[in-house]
Amino acid sequence: MADRDLPVILTVDDDPSVSRAIARDLRRRYAEEHRVVRADGGAQAIEALQELKLRGSRVAALLADYRMPDMDGIEFLEKAMDLFPRARRALLTAYADTDAAIRAINVVDVDHYMLKPWDPPEEKLYPVVDALLESWLATGDDQPAGLRLIGHRWSRASHEVRDFLARNAAAYSWVSVEDPEAQRQLAAAGLSEADIPVVVTAEGTAHASPDLATVAGLAGLSTSPAEDFYDLLIVGGGPAGLGAAVYGASEGLRTVLVDATATGGQAGQSSRIENYLGFPDGVSGGQLADRARRQAVKFGAEVLTARTVSALEVDGPVRTVRFADGSDVRARAVLLATGVQYRRLPAPGVDDLLGRGVYYGSAATEAEACADQHVLVVGGANSAGQAAVFFSRRAAKVTLLVRGRSLEASMSSYLIDQIAAIDTIEVRTCCEVVEAHGSNHLEAVTLADSAAGSRERVEASHLFVFIEAAPRTDWLEGTVARDPRGFVLTGPDLVRDGHRPAGWTAQRDPSYLETSVPGVFAAGDVRADSVKRVASAVGEGAMAVTLAHRYLEES
């Protein structure tokens, strides 16, 4: 392989002697399979990365010093992520910079930080770089490069594909169908604007209006199980499902996780989670989900994407989950971790503008489009508050619409204090959206103020909805017991007056997270009366693995 084709390890440090030293140590260990590039400052390093991008080179790892005069290491890594989002990242710090290192891990998702000096490199440098390269090979090098998505800003289908790619951290570039280059590509493929969204591969093959399973395949995501039978099948990739995947696979269970869209669930769409243990500066839901997914895969769990479940069947010791396309996957034990979805806003006009200014959850792909705009956020819980803070960094104004009389009953106090301190966020209580207006995209909404008994038309370009989450459990009808709202009943809730649930076959009571079907467990938000917090969902996922172990041992 020519030197220019080798994956790159780039180092940047404004101290020339340190820069030369780390490049020397890296070449000593990695020169046969990697090209080591060094830069003496952030600006020079960005220029080097831009040149590598133009040449079509691959960048596996970035090692940046924190204290540099033109731009610090965190600023550099933020810019570098735009060019090579899958490159793994490490920050080099002096002992006094430990706080900055922790901030970098949380804010820009740095994988490691190293304290200078790193002598001996065999103990302090090479293990870190080995981990970076291993992670890159697992998540980056196998991904096809150069996916191009041609779509329209106000196309619902285009938004769905774009959001799917973004939430799965797939490498792609967005091109507006109005761009002349996009028009040329469509014409060359014999397509037109009527065929958008169009996904174009690195080889130039165009796929018109692909479904998400096709998009997943083009992005290199796994959609089909590698085996016919598993010890543990997890349905849902939110915090509970990811927690179970990590613990199940690490404890030797043949584990597969399936999800309809992307790992992370609702938490994965949170712009910043600030009350999760171990992240004092907060962490985005996407970063947390990506780390958990990589951790599960490292232990041997399979993660399948774009698989919609349609039924659960029980045949003796075998539990079969059927997919909407007619295929299925079987296991000895199943964990239901499908979480919840936001309730649809019943106002006229909302459904017509879905994906064209109206969104459920925090659509991060729309952040740039919200610059200098008026953004509306509907909801009074933490997810709505986090979204309001996130969009306030770009929007000219954010209005948080709350049906109740205050935020105190539904939102964490730290978030209420943050919102109060941001001048561009307006909180309107006793307020609901009663109609959405717009032809091609959202232009305005009508608000009803129940306290004042009045209605008002408010102009806005974006409406993000976070209201009354409902479980996704219709596919369990007739198989697993649920409460009137559709949440799955488990453990003590199934035993009434000493009587076990109807159809229960085991010679014992259901365990704490076990459903009305032995060997089928539930964890996280989908479970009736669960605590709606990320930490509790992760804990329940881990606990479900322990209970599944006991079930497997007795069966």
Side-chain angles (χ1 to χ4, degrees):
M1 181 183 293
D3 181 69
R4 67 179 298 274
D5 295 327
L6 295 174
V8 171
I9 301 173
L10 183 140
T11 73
V12 53
D13 196 304
D14 67 304
D15 186 329
S17 63
V18 174
S19 179
R20 287 192 296 270
I22 193 168
R24 178 198 65 220
D25 288 342
L26 289 172
R27 290 189 179 110
R28 184 183 303 159
R29 172 81 169 238
Y30 302 103
E32 289 188 7
E33 297 182 353
H34 297 81
R35 181 155 62 104
V36 177
V37 176
R38 73 177 184 90
D40 295 332
Q44 183 186 106
I46 292 297
E47 291 178 3
L49 289 175
Q50 290 171 336
E51 182 66 22
L52 291 168
K53 187 77 172 180
L54 289 173
R55 293 179 181 178
S57 299
R58 298 170 297 160
V59 175
L62 304 165
L63 285 72
D65 181 49
Y66 174 60
R67 293 190 180 277
M68 296 186 291
D70 56 342
M71 67 175 72
D72 68 33
I74 298 175
E75 292 174 312
F76 162 72
L77 290 172
E78 283 186 295
K79 295 179 182 296
M81 287 169 66
D82 293 334
L83 295 167
F84 292 95
R86 292 189 175 276
R88 307 326 301 175
R89 301 171 287 279
L91 194 71
L92 281 68
T93 73
Y95 285 102
D97 293 326
T98 303
D99 288 343
I102 294 174
R103 182 170 65 88
I105 291 173
N106 293 330
V107 175
V108 295
D109 200 22
V110 169
D111 298 279
H112 294 275
Y113 74 93
M114 298 187 302
L115 298 178
K116 298 189 291 185
W118 56 84
D119 290 329
E122 290 77 11
E123 296 181 10
K124 297 184 178 180
L125 174 62
Y126 298 151
V128 170
V129 178
D130 286 346
L132 293 174
L133 298 177
E134 179 185 348
S135 176
W136 176 75
L137 284 172
T139 63
D141 196 37
D142 293 336
Q143 300 292 338
L147 278 188
R148 176 172 293 191
L149 172 59
I150 300 175
H152 193 283
R153 176 186 176 187
W154 300 122
S155 159
R156 175 177 178 177
S158 297
H159 166 74
E160 288 177 349
V161 174
R162 189 180 185 186
D163 189 59
F164 176 82
L165 289 170
R167 290 183 61 190
N168 283 284
Y172 80 100
S173 59
W174 163 263
V175 184
S176 171
V177 70
E178 300 169 342
D179 188 288
E181 177 60 27
Q183 294 286 342
R184 285 191 289 270
Q185 285 200 352
L186 291 176
L191 302 173
S192 67
E193 290 190 25
D195 297 303
I196 64 167
V198 173
V199 176
V200 184
T201 67
E203 295 75 26
T205 305
H207 297 260
S209 303
D211 58 26
L212 294 186
T214 300
V215 174
L218 296 174
L221 301 172
S222 180
T223 59
S224 300
E227 300 184 30
D228 294 327
F229 198 75
Y230 295 85
D231 295 318
L232 177 62
L233 165 61
I234 303 165
V235 185
L242 287 169
V246 169
Y247 284 98
S250 67
E251 294 176 12
L253 295 180
R254 290 173 299 170
T255 302
V256 61
L257 181 152
V258 299
D259 196 279
T261 49
T263 54
Q266 280 191 340
Q269 299 183 67
S270 295
S271 54
R272 184 146 300 274
I273 302 169
E274 297 194 59
N275 58 352
Y276 188 65
L277 184 67
F279 292 86
D281 293 310
V283 61
S284 77
Q287 291 169 346
L288 189 63
D290 181 61
R291 291 183 183 183
R293 182 192 58 78
R294 287 192 278 123
Q295 193 174 14
V297 170
K298 181 188 75 171
F299 286 124
E302 286 184 47
V303 177
L304 309 182
T305 309
R307 301 310 306 262
T308 302
V309 295
S310 61
L312 171 66
E313 299 175 1
V314 179
D315 183 11
V318 178
R319 280 87 181 96
T320 301
V321 168
R322 297 204 175 275
F323 298 122
D325 65 357
S327 62
D328 61 57
V329 60
R330 299 180 300 157
R332 298 171 64 196
V334 171
L335 173 63
L336 307 175
T338 50
V340 292
Q341 60 186 353
Y342 294 112
R343 181 174 62 81
R344 295 297 184 184
L345 201 61
V350 169
D351 286 347
D352 295 336
L353 296 170
L354 188 60
R356 298 188 291 136
V358 176
Y359 309 93
Y360 288 89
S362 183
T365 53
E366 296 299 314
E368 294 303 321
C370 292
D372 303 320
Q373 302 295 313
H374 183 197
V375 172
L376 304 178
V377 177
V378 181
N382 280 9
S383 54
Q386 290 161 352
V389 172
F390 173 71
F391 288 115
S392 71
R393 299 168 190 157
R394 296 170 173 82
K397 180 181 179 181
V398 176
T399 300
L400 182 60
L401 305 172
V402 185
R403 185 174 59 178
R405 294 185 174 276
S406 71
L407 292 173
E408 280 71 13
S410 54
M411 188 178 293
S412 296
S413 60
Y414 82 89
L415 203 47
I416 295 174
D417 293 340
Q418 281 188 21
I419 290 171
I422 300 174
D423 293 337
T424 54
I425 298 181
E426 173 193 24
V427 179
R428 296 188 59 170
T429 58
C430 303
C431 198
E432 294 184 75
V433 174
V434 294
E435 189 171 359
H437 310 279
S439 52
N440 187 43
H441 60 87
L442 180 69
E443 298 172 4
V445 300
T446 297
L447 303 179
D449 188 321
S450 60
S454 61
R455 293 196 173 196
E456 175 187 2
R457 182 183 171 108
V458 176
E459 294 185 357
S461 64
H462 290 76
L463 174 70
F464 298 92
V465 182
F466 302 82
I467 56 172
E468 293 184 6
R472 310 170 183 177
T473 58
D474 290 346
W475 61 285
L476 296 171
E477 179 69 33
T479 305
V480 172
R482 301 173 297 156
D483 72 7
R485 296 181 299 163
F487 289 94
V488 176
L489 296 170
T490 59
D493 291 337
L494 293 166
V495 180
R496 300 294 183 185
D497 300 323
H499 296 288
R500 294 165 182 159
W504 182 259
T505 57
Q507 299 303 308
R508 56 172 177 80
D509 289 346
S511 61
Y512 184 68
L513 298 179
E514 200 165 18
T515 71
S516 59
V517 177
V520 177
F521 303 86
D525 290 359
V526 73
R527 193 174 67 83
D529 297 324
S530 64
V531 177
K532 305 299 187 282
R533 288 289 184 269
V534 175
S536 61
V538 172
E540 287 191 5
M543 184 192 300
V545 171
T546 298
L547 300 177
H549 262 299
R550 294 177 184 173
Y551 166 78
L552 294 174
E553 289 170 357
E554 72 181 24
S555 61

